[in-house]
Amino acid sequence: MKQYRRITLGLLLICLAESPARETVPVLPAAGTIEAYFTPWDDAQGALVSAIEQARQQVLVQSYVLTSRTIAASLIRAHRRGIDVRVLADQRQYIDVDGSQLDDLARAGIPVWLETRYRSAHNKVMLIDVRSSHAVVITGSYNYSWGAQHMNAENLLVIRGHAALAGRYESNWMRHQSDAALLESR
């Protein structure tokens, strides 16, 4: 039994020594407002488009799939009215899924980066005006697709006015963007 404990302790120490250092995750106090949408019953896509239309400075997007023409058109309209729009997307989904809107976004002048480091860049996040008092964080299981609104059981949270949370999400967006590959529009 003692030998078993020594082996177990030794393996545990090896695992701890080899695991990457983890940052301490801050506990953020509740702030702002939260809207919860559940598809197909609630209009999550409409909530996304409305939030994009209300953007005053910036929209940062992290998407696994972006095939919704409605959401893409809203991002392009925001870009055309002078909003800084930037998109991160999963490279495999861009290649494998028909109907990706990423080329249209890039052709419209929106910088699009493809995440290649991960097996799945599975984030579904939109950050709007993160450095302002009206910062918006949008996240959940909701993919930016027609199916997510009309065929799937998905959820979407719209969190407004929580600067600390927005800052944490922005830092994560920047970390992902730093090792993603810029998409050349076709």
Side-chain angles (χ1 to χ4, degrees), residues 38-45 48 65-71 97-99 101 124 141-155:
F38 302 97
T39 65
W41 303 280
D42 298 328
D43 187 9
Q45 179 172 270
L48 283 165
V65 172
L66 203 163
T67 58
S68 168
R69 291 182 190 139
T70 303
I71 293 170
V97 174
D98 290 335
Q101 298 297 300
K124 296 116 178 174
S141 68
Y142 189 89
N143 282 304
Y144 305 135
S145 67
W146 183 88
Q149 178 60 55
H150 301 285
M151 298 171 53
N152 298 350
E154 304 272 2
N155 70 81

Side-chain angles (χ1 to χ4, degrees), residues 26-152:
V27 176
L28 304 174
T33 63
I34 301 173
E35 301 164 30
Y37 294 85
F38 302 97
T39 65
W41 303 280
D42 298 328
D43 187 9
Q45 179 172 270
L48 283 165
V49 168
S50 176
I52 294 165
E53 289 173 354
Q54 293 172 34
R56 298 177 193 161
Q57 299 153 355
Q58 186 179 61
V59 178
L60 302 176
V61 179
Q62 276 182 286
S63 68
Y64 182 60
V65 172
L66 203 163
T67 58
S68 168
R69 291 182 190 139
T70 303
I71 293 170
S74 181
L75 291 168
I76 291 169
R77 283 193 306 274
H79 172 72
R80 288 182 178 153
R81 66 174 208 274
I83 304 301
D84 174 22
V85 178
R86 299 185 229 166
V87 176
L88 287 169
D90 182 87
Q91 180 184 38
R92 185 171 309 223
Q93 293 303 304
Y94 166 68
I95 292 168
D96 293 346
V97 174
D98 290 335
S100 174
Q101 298 297 300
L102 298 178
D103 287 320
D104 288 344
L105 297 176
R107 278 192 294 273
I110 296 172
V112 175
W113 290 270
L114 298 176
E115 293 201 61
T116 59
R117 180 177 178 183
Y118 309 96
R119 190 180 112 217
S120 290
H122 206 244
N123 288 296
K124 296 116 178 174
V125 174
M126 245 184 238
L127 308 173
I128 299 174
D129 299 339
V130 294
R131 296 183 183 199
S132 73
S133 61
H134 58 274
V136 180
V137 174
I138 303 172
T139 190
S141 68
Y142 189 89
N143 282 304
Y144 305 135
S145 67
W146 183 88
Q149 178 60 55
H150 301 285
M151 298 171 53
N152 298 350

